[in-house]
Amino acid sequence: MELDNTMLARILTSLTLGFHIIFAALGVGIPIIISIAEWLGIRKKDPMYTLMARRWVKGFTVTVAVGVVTGTCIGLQLSLLWPSFMKVAGEAIALPLFLETFAFFFEAIFLGIYLYTWDRFKNPYIHWLFSIPVVIGSTASAFFIMTVNAFMNAPQGFTLVDGSIVDVQPLAAMFNPATPTKAGHMILSSYATSAFVLAAIAAWKLLRGNGHEYHRKALNFTVALALLFSFGTALYGDFAGKYLAKYQPAKLAAAEWHFETKPQSPLILGGVLDPETMEVRNALKLPYALSILATGSPNGEVMGLDQIPRELWPPLFIHYLFDGMVAIGMYMLVVPILYFIWRRWKKGQVPRAILHAIFWGAPLAILAIELGWIFSEIGRQPWILVGYMKTQHAATTADNVGEMLVMFSLLYAFLAIVSSIVLKRMFKNKPVELELK
Amino acid sequence: MSMETLAITVLWIFLYGYIIVASIDFGAGFFSFFSKITKRDHIVNGIIERYLSPVWEVTNVFLIFFMVGLIGFFPDTAYYYGTALLVPGSIFLVLQSLRGSFYAFAHYGARNSTAYLFVYGVTGLFIPASLSTILTISEGGYIEQTAGGEVILNMGKLLTSSYSWSVVALALVSVLYISASFLTFYADRAQDTAAVKLLRSFAIGWSLPTIFASFLVFLSIHRHNPEHFDKMMDVSWLFLLSFASFCGALALQLKRRNYGWAFVLVMLQFAFAFFGYGIAHLPYLLYPYVTITDSINSPAMGQALVIGLIAGLFLLIPSLILLLKLFLFDAKYVQGRPIQK
């Protein structure tokens, strides 16, 4: 690996995005959960749910702050590290970037109002109403930014003349073939991850022997949402597979080590690839499964890497990332089902094993988001704008990218440590029992 | 009005909005720190925190909005500024990240630590200084393009130029002046006499350096970019109005009354100067490489952006008014008393 400007710019961009995405996913998912909890609290006249909303929103402010500042970083790094890309594609992605800022603006204004008006209105629904624009704003900004990334994967809605993009059709560029699956999969996985993170807190409390009704209710509520959202994520994952087969076969073929174009293709789970002979060892092969995943029919033909010139292959290690993401996705679906089966048929205490499984669901869910993103981004290499512009032609020509990489690494390490300490201290000093009085 | 004139006008308004709200925020951070080390923090901290808490995130978005809009309407700026500003831009991002995240952390116990207030106060001065260099660079003379088309920022020239330092000086003193004028008004609404007294002394103290630095910048533009200076002279009436507003604000502050109007006059002082500077800057966005006619060339995208802009403003302006009503014009909130509606 040569550490030229392009490589350094890639590392710095992935570092920023990899760090930002944790907070961004929580920023998209937590508001909707808080909003539902507050609404349930008002409707059922149950102070427990209201307290959930109040406690979660406190922690949420810290994650939002880190999300905002790292989001600012990636927003500007797009121009600082990839000026040649912005010169070519800037015009095509201007509208969604702009709309994303509006959605963010909208969210920021109403989050401020929501946070500081808890006891201000006699009618509790008025305060609850302020959570709606926060939910809309956060989900809309995720949607708009996903259309930008989708455009990089499936560019359309413009004409290329002498290396510059002209005659842009903004809506066609925004609503490209990759948009529905990318946005749907990302938004739902953010919701599911947030539900798991909040469920993990409740599971942790119960595991530590704090059997307060608040924690049991919180667990039940968040696991129910986790089940719903994980199911939606899996469904959109399947759509995303079909999209890849149709529009970005290189990415799917590399993810599945599918070298030969043929019908009735098997799905390869796990395994090790011999890079010399291209032979796959120790893998589990599910007959027909790739054809079903890609085309919806066991006889469907799936394009293999043999149809793509060798120099345009994505790196083949993305197979491991893809498998990791899918495995965790399955875990996120199975654990809530087990939890509810237990609650439904074996009334009484949920076994510690399930609580442990829920607890570990939170870090795993975040890991799955990272794996999914790295898979998706590495999977379109060598392109930055698939079919139009290669990554190596897009990076900055300025010096000092290496120094900037060191500086930002230190910044993110610092932010990670301080925000963890703050979050931990915040809840340790104020247990639920104290707040309920 | 042509699309690009409309776009740059709206973006300039947003940048002006950012300068006002961010100055209040940056200055407040510095005053918090300064009051702490001079053991007067109990006088002003309540006022500062009540105002800043609900708005800190909004402040940030004004800037992002300006930058995204600029790149959206004028993609060439991304190429030139993006390449040239890698180092200063990254330093700005780190400072901004520390400050923004610290603000949220502060609510949960860190506020009383001097180290925290130091970072918060000092970044509040470094950020405007680093941002103001972008305005300096836009005057031209610091970015060079090689024969191969590579864009290079001449840091040595930037750091030794008297013009760039006069802009930094103006940014610093303006931040403190705008902030103190606003906080005096806010403290007055909260009927907090002690805070008014202290903040008013800050406001008056920073008024003369502000006007002095403004003249300095005015004169050094003459040396650095005579073409721009001549265009500024064409709209000299705007700068005269700016000076008149300054005198009015100072008179009200010295007479200890109408702090609200005094702040309005401070806002006008900066508005006239900022728009005078901006009008004279046109058509250049980066002298002499990028002009506003180098804007997007797809009519459909231009149209979509303008529609998006207008629709977005219809959403934003009422929301901002609501925010101000709840936290700035609500007497009980400002005074820190419990409210039930």
Side-chain angles (χ1 to χ4, degrees):
Chain A
M1 191 169 76
E2 198 193 344
L3 278 184
D4 55 1
N5 256 8
T6 306
M7 200 59 202
L8 288 169
R10 284 179 63 188
I11 297 174
L12 179 48
T13 308
S14 45
L15 184 73
T16 304
L17 271 176
F19 188 65
H20 173 65
I21 191 105
I22 300 173
F23 299 91
L26 295 175
V28 171
I30 290 182
I32 187 166
I33 302 177
I34 290 173
S35 178
I36 299 173
E38 192 189 358
W39 179 75
L40 278 178
I42 303 171
R43 218 184 121 80
K44 292 186 165 185
K45 296 204 169 50
D46 184 339
M48 301 274 178
Y49 287 101
T50 316
L51 185 61
M52 279 174 215
R54 276 190 175 232
R55 283 174 70 88
W56 290 336
V57 87
K58 262 191 222 157
F60 179 65
T61 351
V62 172
T63 57
V64 140
V66 180
V68 168
V69 297
T70 52
T72 312
C73 289
I74 192 63
L76 291 191
Q77 278 179 357
L78 209 56
S79 298
L80 293 175
L81 295 172
W82 308 99
S84 310
F85 166 72
M86 288 304 284
K87 193 181 183 182
V88 173
E91 188 164 339
I93 56 177
L95 182 66
L97 280 181
F98 205 46
L99 293 177
E100 196 266 347
T101 328
F102 268 124
F104 175 38
F105 218 140
F106 194 55
E107 181 196 347
I109 290 173
F110 283 95
L111 184 63
I113 296 179
Y114 183 74
L115 284 176
Y116 295 93
T117 53
W118 272 98
D119 297 310
R120 210 154 161 181
F121 307 101
K122 277 216 177 81
N123 181 348
Y125 280 108
I126 295 182
H127 179 259
W128 173 74
L129 278 178
F130 285 124
S131 73
I132 306 283
V134 180
V135 174
I136 295 174
S138 58
T139 299
S141 56
F143 173 79
F144 290 128
I145 212 67
M146 290 309 296
T147 69
V148 174
N149 184 268
F151 174 81
M152 292 162 83
N153 277 278
Q156 66 165 35
F158 61 89
T159 325
L160 198 69
V161 179
D162 300 333
S164 62
I165 280 178
V166 296
D167 199 19
V168 180
Q169 302 303 317
L171 292 181
M174 247 176 96
F175 294 94
N176 57 70
T179 293
T181 48
K182 275 212 173 263
H185 194 54
M186 183 67 220
I187 290 170
L188 284 163
S189 61
S190 301
Y191 288 180
T193 301
S194 306
F196 259 102
V197 166
L198 299 177
I201 300 172
W204 172 250
K205 287 288 179 191
L206 292 172
L207 279 170
R208 292 292 295 267
N210 184 339
H212 197 284
E213 197 196 345
Y214 170 89
H215 298 302
R216 275 186 282 135
K217 268 191 182 165
L219 185 70
N220 217 27
F221 172 63
T222 48
V223 175
L225 290 178
L227 177 63
L228 182 74
F229 295 141
S230 297
F231 181 74
T233 311
L235 193 69
Y236 264 95
D238 180 57
F239 295 157
K242 293 186 172 47
Y243 153 79
L244 282 182
K246 197 165 170 198
Y247 294 95
Q248 274 181 288
K251 196 191 264 187
L252 185 67
E256 277 307 320
W257 291 340
H258 184 62
F259 297 102
E260 209 182 311
T261 306
K262 62 179 179 196
Q264 300 169 1
S265 307
L267 187 73
I268 295 174
L269 290 182
V272 181
L273 182 75
D274 184 329
E276 300 295 318
T277 60
M278 294 293 169
E279 265 171 38
V280 181
R281 278 178 286 122
N282 301 331
L284 181 66
K285 286 192 186 180
L286 301 180
Y288 305 110
L290 182 59
S291 287
I292 297 175
L293 176 80
T295 64
S297 140
N299 293 318
E301 188 172 86
V302 183
M303 197 212 262
L305 286 169
D306 55 353
Q307 302 282 316
I308 296 151
R310 185 71 185 83
E311 69 274 14
L312 295 183
W313 285 13
L316 293 174
F317 71 82
I318 62 171
H319 173 74
Y320 304 111
L321 309 173
F322 183 72
D323 276 13
M325 171 186 77
V326 174
I328 296 173
M330 290 298 132
Y331 176 94
M332 289 167 70
L333 198 53
V334 170
V335 168
I337 292 176
L338 285 178
Y339 171 87
F340 281 109
I341 289 179
W342 199 276
R343 294 231 0 161
R344 182 84 176 72
W345 280 290
K346 309 231 170 166
K347 316 257 172 193
Q349 288 281 356
V350 182
R352 293 179 69 83
I354 291 188
L355 291 179
H356 273 290
I358 293 172
F359 175 76
W360 285 104
L364 283 172
I366 291 172
L367 180 66
I369 287 190
E370 297 282 0
L371 292 175
W373 264 104
I374 302 170
F375 155 68
S376 175
E377 294 300 279
I378 304 269
R380 82 176 132 95
Q381 296 306 323
W383 300 104
I384 191 166
L385 204 53
V386 175
Y388 292 94
M389 186 181 204
K390 292 225 180 116
T391 310
Q392 73 210 54
H393 301 136
T396 179
T397 47
D399 300 328
N400 311 104
V401 186
E403 286 87 338
M404 297 304 112
L405 176 61
V406 174
M407 189 169 77
F408 279 103
S409 310
L410 292 174
L411 172 72
Y412 300 146
F414 176 80
L415 288 179
I417 294 168
V418 178
S419 55
S420 313
I421 295 174
V422 169
L423 279 173
K424 208 176 152 208
R425 199 187 280 169
M426 198 155 94
F427 290 101
K428 217 171 183 175
N429 295 345
K430 254 200 165 179
V432 170
E433 294 78 8
L434 217 73
E435 283 202 69
L436 270 174
K437 274 171 196 158
Chain B
M1 201 185 323
S2 67
M3 197 243 354
E4 55 265 19
T5 319
L6 176 74
I8 197 66
T9 308
V10 173
L11 292 176
W12 203 244
I13 292 172
F14 267 87
L15 190 58
Y16 169 73
Y18 174 73
I19 286 177
I20 297 295
V21 290
S23 294
I24 295 173
D25 181 356
F26 294 144
F30 182 77
F31 291 137
S32 288
F33 171 63
F34 183 69
S35 319
K36 172 93 182 174
I37 53 172
T38 52
K39 299 205 167 32
R40 287 179 291 184
D41 44 330
H42 55 281
I43 306 179
V44 290
N45 276 359
I47 294 286
I48 289 176
E49 197 184 336
R50 266 203 300 284
Y51 167 73
L52 285 184
S53 299
V55 301
W56 68 269
E57 212 189 340
V58 176
T59 309
N60 214 358
V61 197
F62 268 98
L63 180 68
I64 299 175
F65 188 94
F66 171 76
M67 288 181 174
V68 169
L70 187 70
I71 293 163
F73 279 103
F74 310 101
D76 273 9
T77 55
Y79 180 69
Y80 281 92
Y81 283 114
T83 309
L85 293 176
L86 177 68
V87 175
S90 298
I91 292 173
F92 159 73
L93 283 176
V94 170
L95 292 173
Q96 175 73 16
S97 303
L98 287 176
R99 188 182 168 84
S101 52
F102 263 47
Y103 196 79
F105 300 157
H107 283 295
Y108 308 103
R111 184 169 287 282
N112 297 325
S113 119
T114 313
Y116 156 75
L117 279 172
F118 175 74
V119 173
Y120 197 64
V122 169
T123 51
L125 294 184
F126 276 125
I127 293 172
S130 69
L131 280 179
S132 63
T133 53
I134 299 176
L135 279 183
T136 311
I137 290 169
S138 77
E139 288 297 326
Y142 306 103
I143 285 185
E144 284 145 29
Q145 199 162 22
T146 63
E150 269 183 54
V151 176
I152 298 162
L153 174 66
N154 189 336
M155 274 303 263
K157 201 169 167 193
L158 184 69
L159 289 176
T160 52
S161 136
S162 61
Y163 171 63
S164 97
W165 287 108
S166 64
V167 174
V168 168
L170 176 61
L172 290 184
V173 293
S174 311
V175 158
L176 296 170
Y177 178 55
I178 293 173
S179 187
S181 309
F182 174 79
L183 290 170
T184 309
F185 154 65
Y186 202 68
D188 186 46
R189 279 194 58 92
Q191 298 169 344
D192 185 339
T193 343
V196 172
K197 204 176 155 209
L198 182 61
L199 291 163
R200 174 178 162 273
S201 71
F202 290 159
I204 294 171
W206 288 109
S207 62
L208 287 178
T210 301
I211 207 73
F212 177 71
S214 310
F215 277 120
L216 204 63
V217 168
F218 205 77
L219 293 178
S220 52
I221 285 185
H222 177 56
R223 276 185 50 195
H224 185 80
N225 184 343
E227 193 186 332
H228 189 185
F229 182 80
D230 290 342
K231 285 200 209 140
M232 277 165 73
M233 292 317 286
D234 294 343
V235 286
S236 54
W237 56 277
L238 280 169
F239 296 97
L240 290 174
L241 278 175
S242 171
F243 185 68
S245 310
F246 166 79
C247 296
L250 188 61
L252 286 176
Q253 275 158 355
L254 286 171
K255 286 190 150 176
R256 296 166 203 249
R257 59 174 203 208
N258 301 84
Y259 292 118
W261 284 110
F263 181 66
V264 170
L265 285 171
V266 170
M267 289 210 318
L268 284 176
Q269 172 200 339
F270 282 90
F272 286 127
F274 190 68
F275 283 88
Y277 172 87
I279 292 166
H281 204 294
L282 291 180
Y284 293 105
L285 295 175
L286 170 60
Y287 185 87
Y289 298 109
V290 191
T291 68
I292 57 165
T293 45
D294 300 321
S295 61
I296 43 173
N297 42 34
S298 303
M301 183 49 104
Q303 210 178 11
L305 281 178
V306 170
I307 294 173
L309 190 71
I310 292 167
L313 289 179
F314 268 102
L315 204 66
L316 279 189
I317 292 168
S319 317
L320 278 173
I321 290 173
L322 181 67
L323 187 75
L324 291 179
K325 264 184 91 115
L326 285 169
F327 298 107
L328 192 55
F329 299 113
D330 191 302
K332 278 188 181 169
Y333 175 81
V334 176
Q335 290 163 14
R337 288 189 280 144
I339 325 154
Q340 270 278 326
K341 274 190 184 147

